[in-house]
Amino acid sequence: MTRETRSGGPTATHCPYCSLQCGMVLTPGRGGRTLTVAAREDHPVSEGGLCRKGWTAAGLHGHRERLTTPLVRDRATGDLRAVDWDEALDLVAERLRAVQAAHGPDGVAVFGGGGLTNEKAYQLGKLARVALGTSQVDYNGRWCMSSAASASNRAFGIDRGLPFPLADVEHADVVVLVGSNLVETMPPAARHLDRCRANGGTVVVIDPRRTATAERADVHLQPVPGTDLPLALGVLHAVDAAGGVDAAYVAERTVGWEDSRASASAWWPERVERVSGVPADEVRALASLLAGAGSAVVLTARGAEQHAQGTATVLAWIDVALALGLPGRPHSGYGCLTGQGNGQGGREHGQKADQLPGYRMIDDPAARDHVAAVWGVDAASLPGPGRSAYELLDALGTPGGPRAMLVHGSNIVVSAPNAAHVTDRLAALDLLVVCDLVMSETAALADVVLPVTQWSEESGTTTNLEGRVLLRQRAVAPPAGVRSDLEVMAGLAERLGAPGTWSTDPAEVFDELGRASAGGRADYAGISHARIAESDGGVFWPCPDADHPGTPRLFADAFAHPDGRARFVAVDHLGPAEPVDEAFPVHLTTGRVLAQYQSGAQTRRVRELPDTGPYVEMHPMLADRIGAYDGEPVVVTTRRGELKAPARLTTAIRPDTVFVPFHWVGANRLTSDALDPASRMPAFKVCAAAVRA
Ligand SMILES: Nc1nc2c(c(=O)[nH]1)N[C@H]1C(S)=C(S)[C@@H](COP(=O)(O)OP(=O)(O)OC[C@H]3O[C@@H](n4cnc5c(=O)[nH]c(N)nc54)[C@H](O)[C@@H]3O)O[C@H]1N2
Ligand SMILES: Nc1nc2c(c(=O)[nH]1)N[C@H]1C(S)=C(S)[C@@H](COP(=O)(O)OP(=O)(O)OC[C@H]3O[C@@H](n4cnc5c(=O)[nH]c(N)nc54)[C@H](O)[C@@H]3O)O[C@H]1N2
Ligand code: SF4
Ligand SMILES: [Mo]
């Protein structure tokens, strides 16, 4: 079933949550009051699978906590009061103008999200550059895989999460997952790992915790958080020492090997063991497994990427893949498992501080000319690059920083690193406008809250982790009083007197996005809503024209650098941004659990999903040392703050490490604001902590 039926019958669409974008069918009942989720058996991405979050995604349909009217904070009482849309949008436009009159165009900031459809992400970047003329636009994708993006751009000249369909891993001899808990974060995708093993392949998981994913693998390496980089260099060292380097591939398809080889030469496996805690034998065993494999895939996720050296870590693993001759070979290569529903497309079409649509760069004169022509404005009027997400939030309300901000699709108060500080910065704004479905912790701080449609109530495209462009279709009418993000943006653009067109029809906006992306690295010019609806499982970019079949696999003949070759990049381990010491002797890492999504704004409100609150996962040895008991409260302290939460004892975690899920306020009051120098991604995955009973 791929066609939309407008008569209140079943509608084929995709899940609102993660980057797998499982296919689902929504069926409204009882005059639209209920909404039933079924899995799309025929969709190649999920083949009838959905995880617990997907099955319960309709839990927010008709939910009593849905926002259905614009709210404005009353200056006298400090309370939010209901107003009509015209009053809300007039007020926002008037106050944005006042801020810009006093502080210049960059006095207004825009913060987007990787959960927004391509249409919204595109329009948000355009709103910032054309209607507001501000350079200060960025999004939560910086929190998510941006280090893998910067590494892929450097190594391959292009950034598409997976340069091949995920199902390719089923035929690989070896699959290495570096910092991915796929079994809990994309459960239906775990079938590919199971099939790989059934086909005789070996699955390797690298994670400081023996996760559900590690349990389902053949090999589990358990490093100290933040040491994947020396581990990769150790594997490279041992591959080289064992004569496993594919010299012909290195000579024909790459440049820079000798420098990478030299930096790996300093990381013999015993030295790696001292830093990472992974026994030298296990490093050598992984190297010989990889060197002996006919095909192999290396995949990174947030465990490897969310570090102060995240880009260098991914580059080191790409170096391993290149030395083995994997990228571009069948059932082989390097890939990043993106995270949010539109984690891939959300970083291609211009809501990122340095980007224009089509993955064009905003400081490239030719890119500016092309996009300005599509937008009907003068290229000179477009601002230059702005601040990255954390740097933007850190500057709010400071001298020279933005005084007003529009937020679409992020719950910053829960998800940003060093969150107590960031919350202070939000409070220092003259105007905070939040568009959301529910009263998120961030919306609760806003001066104006605008209620928007959710995935089942609107159409739009997402680009999943494979670079596959998919169509979500409207299945039910939105609640009265709710508008789409596109309608909000059009309403503001009109009030701000913006030039150009501001369609509220997602199919039209997508066609404009296609023109803006034409000729860019992420070229969508040949894709349309109608084409995706008729396709067999979506269209892979690049797809430059309507007759082009799309591109499921990249790099078979050439990489995207002008000379067609991939780059080895020599990197070295600088050690953690915040080393453990006597006062803060434990590594704190953070991440996800199966039944909650991100900041939890949506899933914590779904009745069927367990809402446990934060907890502190720790080894019984550590618990013993501090006198903690399972289920009893412990206090985790870092240089930023403190969290009191129940201990959960498990032998699955390293005794020197604790893990806190970030779906509730708490974890990010502890995390540090160390940023990767290239991607500006925060180090969510390790900081120094103290734990007491
Ligand atoms: N259930 C659920 N699924 C989701 C999401 C969700 O919120 N909930 N969010 C989606 C999004 S946006 C994303 S980005 C993805 C993320 O998907 P994943 O990257 O799979 O999820 P995380 O739990 O953040 O991190 C994965 C693992 O990294 C490990 N880890 C921690 N530190 C290190 C380290 O230094 N090195 C290594 N090798 N591993 C380390 C953690 O123990 C954890 O098991 O999930 C997507 N899917
Ligand atoms: N400690 C720690 N912190 C982390 C991470 C970690 O591993 N550890 N992971 C990071 C990662 S990878 C990510 S992706 C971030 C994500 O963290 P957030 O940016 O907070 O992402 P969400 O919780 O998905 O927030 C989306 C918000 O937008 C709303 N929303 C949903 N759809 C729409 C829409 O179409 N339009 C509008 N206007 N609103 C919408 C939701 O209700 C919700 O309030 O968290 C990061 N923070
Ligand atoms: S795996 Fe991701 S896309 Fe699939 S049902 Fe679960 S949350 Fe939705
Ligand atoms: Mo993410």
Side-chain angles (χ1 to χ4, degrees):
M1 178 168 351
T2 50
R3 312 226 100 221
E4 183 177 8
T5 48
R6 290 216 171 259
S7 56
T11 301
T13 188
H14 294 270
C15 178
Y17 302 124
C18 89
S19 64
L20 197 57
Q21 286 298 285
C22 295
M24 56 171 60
V25 180
L26 295 178
T27 310
R30 283 196 284 141
R33 278 198 299 278
T34 61
L35 187 64
T36 313
V37 174
R40 268 167 87 176
E41 300 291 337
D42 63 343
H43 204 279
V45 167
S46 44
E47 297 177 73
L50 290 176
C51 79
R52 212 168 157 186
K53 301 183 297 301
W55 283 116
T56 57
L60 283 183
H61 179 76
H63 196 284
R64 63 184 168 77
E65 287 184 70
R66 263 308 283 285
L67 300 172
T68 53
T69 174
L71 302 167
V72 170
R73 195 166 300 281
D74 189 300
R75 280 182 168 168
T77 65
D79 295 333
L80 287 168
R81 67 179 168 87
V83 298
D84 69 30
W85 272 98
D86 278 332
E87 186 180 343
L89 292 175
D90 287 349
L91 181 113
V92 171
E94 181 196 306
R95 292 185 63 187
L96 292 175
R97 278 179 201 266
V99 166
Q100 290 193 316
H103 303 280
D106 283 355
V108 174
V110 175
F111 201 90
L116 301 178
T117 59
N118 288 313
E119 292 79 357
K120 296 178 187 186
Y122 165 80
Q123 200 81 323
L124 195 62
K126 179 175 165 184
L127 182 82
R129 274 64 172 249
V130 175
L132 293 162
T134 179
S135 68
Q136 302 297 299
V137 51
D138 214 57
Y139 79 122
N140 69 10
R142 291 277 182 184
W143 311 151
C144 183
M145 94 298 112
S146 61
S147 287
S150 66
S152 286
N153 279 325
R154 273 194 79 183
F156 305 123
I158 196 165
D159 152 40
R160 199 180 85 184
L162 297 180
F164 43 74
L166 189 54
D168 279 13
V169 309
E170 294 176 8
H171 306 286
D173 290 343
V174 180
V175 178
V176 183
L177 291 167
V178 194
S180 158
N181 186 11
L182 189 89
V183 168
E184 292 195 84
T185 51
M186 294 173 197
R191 74 189 189 281
H192 300 301
L193 302 180
D194 295 343
R195 288 180 193 158
C196 168
R197 297 180 69 203
N199 290 337
T202 303
V203 175
V204 180
V205 168
I206 302 176
D207 195 307
R209 304 184 302 140
R210 193 176 67 248
T211 56
T213 313
E215 293 280 5
R216 245 156 107 170
D218 302 280
V219 180
H220 176 211
L221 271 47
Q222 203 166 1
V224 173
T227 62
D228 301 274
L229 199 175
L231 183 57
L233 293 178
V235 171
L236 188 56
H237 179 107
V239 164
D240 192 19
V245 175
D246 185 337
Y249 176 99
V250 167
E252 278 162 32
R253 302 211 52 185
T254 71
V255 295
W257 161 235
E258 286 305 331
D259 288 344
S260 288
R261 177 185 223 176
S263 56
S265 70
W267 286 96
W268 55 96
E270 283 72 17
R271 184 177 175 211
V272 172
E273 175 173 337
R274 283 201 297 279
V275 173
S276 71
V278 176
D281 289 349
E282 293 183 14
V283 178
R284 288 203 177 85
L286 176 55
S288 70
L289 181 69
L290 285 167
S295 56
V297 173
V298 177
L299 299 173
T300 62
R302 303 311 81 76
E305 299 160 11
Q306 290 173 327
H307 290 286
Q309 275 199 286
T311 302
T313 302
V314 174
L315 284 166
W317 283 102
I318 292 175
D319 283 353
V320 171
L322 290 172
L324 292 162
L326 304 177
R329 291 254 173 96
H331 312 128
S332 291
Y334 162 78
C336 154
L337 298 159
T338 66
Q340 300 182 78
N342 195 27
Q344 181 65 45
R347 71 187 194 253
E348 297 165 356
H349 299 295
Q351 61 177 330
K352 196 161 170 243
D354 54 358
Q355 255 178 31
L356 290 173
Y359 223 128
R360 288 184 156 91
M361 303 317 288
I362 202 165
D363 53 8
D364 168 5
R368 295 169 65 87
D369 286 344
H370 174 87
V371 175
V374 174
W375 286 348
V377 298
D378 183 356
S381 73
L382 300 178
R387 293 179 173 93
S388 77
Y390 184 79
E391 290 158 301
L392 176 61
L393 298 176
D394 188 38
L396 298 177
T398 62
R403 313 285 323 177
M405 184 162 77
L406 306 176
V407 179
H408 289 255
S410 181
N411 188 3
I412 297 164
V413 168
V414 178
S415 312
N418 195 12
H421 168 71
V422 167
T423 305
D424 288 346
R425 299 311 337 140
L426 291 172
L429 285 169
D430 299 339
L431 175 69
L432 175 63
V433 181
V434 175
C435 297
D436 209 308
L437 339 166
V438 291
M439 190 60 85
S440 72
E441 286 78 0
T442 309
L445 291 183
D447 302 290
V448 180
V449 180
L450 301 175
V452 292
T453 45
Q454 65 174 336
W455 103 115
S456 52
E457 300 153 2
E458 58 188 16
S459 295
T461 62
T462 57
T463 305
N464 88 342
L465 75 171
E466 307 165 285
R468 195 194 282 265
V469 188
L470 298 164
L471 180 62
R472 288 193 193 149
Q473 310 206 72
R474 172 175 154 142
V476 281
V482 166
R483 293 195 183 173
S484 73
D485 289 281
L486 291 180
E487 287 170 324
V488 172
M489 292 185 236
L492 287 177
E494 184 199 324
R495 283 168 176 80
L496 293 164
T501 51
W502 298 85
S503 175
T504 57
D505 173 356
E508 268 177 34
V509 175
F510 188 78
D511 291 343
E512 187 185 307
L513 176 164
R515 293 194 296 280
S517 75
R521 280 187 275 178
D523 191 330
Y524 283 47
I527 313 177
S528 64
H529 279 208
R531 181 169 170 187
I532 304 171
E534 269 146 37
S535 71
D536 182 18
V539 183
F540 289 82
W541 71 259
C543 180
D545 59 68
D547 299 321
H548 190 285
T551 316
R553 293 179 185 80
L554 302 171
F555 312 148
D557 307 313
F559 295 98
H561 286 300
D563 61 4
R565 288 165 177 254
R567 305 287 185 267
F568 279 95
V569 181
V571 293
D572 201 8
H573 179 55
L574 304 177
E578 190 181 60
V580 291
D581 56 21
E582 241 168 75
F584 298 99
V586 176
H587 305 281
L588 166 68
T589 191
T590 60
R592 296 163 165 79
V593 298
L594 192 151
Q596 289 294 330
Y597 187 69
Q598 311 280 65
S599 72
Q602 291 157 280
T603 46
R604 279 187 273 125
R605 291 179 164 87
V606 173
R607 207 170 12 95
E608 297 94 323
L609 296 174
D611 182 3
T612 62
Y615 57 84
V616 184
E617 196 177 288
M618 65 170 79
H619 197 281
M621 274 158 59
L622 175 59
D624 250 12
R625 207 162 71 226
I626 63 168
Y629 297 94
D630 193 38
E632 299 290 318
V634 291
V635 178
V636 183
T637 315
T638 68
R639 290 189 174 82
R640 273 79 43 201
E642 202 172 87
L643 170 69
K644 186 173 167 187
R648 271 207 197 168
L649 304 197
T650 168
T651 56
I653 189 165
R654 290 181 59 91
D656 56 8
T657 301
V658 295
F659 170 87
V660 181
F662 84 99
H663 309 292
W664 299 266
V665 168
N668 277 321
R669 296 185 163 252
L670 303 171
T671 51
S672 90
D673 60 3
L675 302 183
D676 178 274
S679 68
R680 320 308 284 168
M681 181 182 211
F684 288 117
K685 285 293 188 271
V686 68
C687 67
V691 191
R692 62 175 200 272

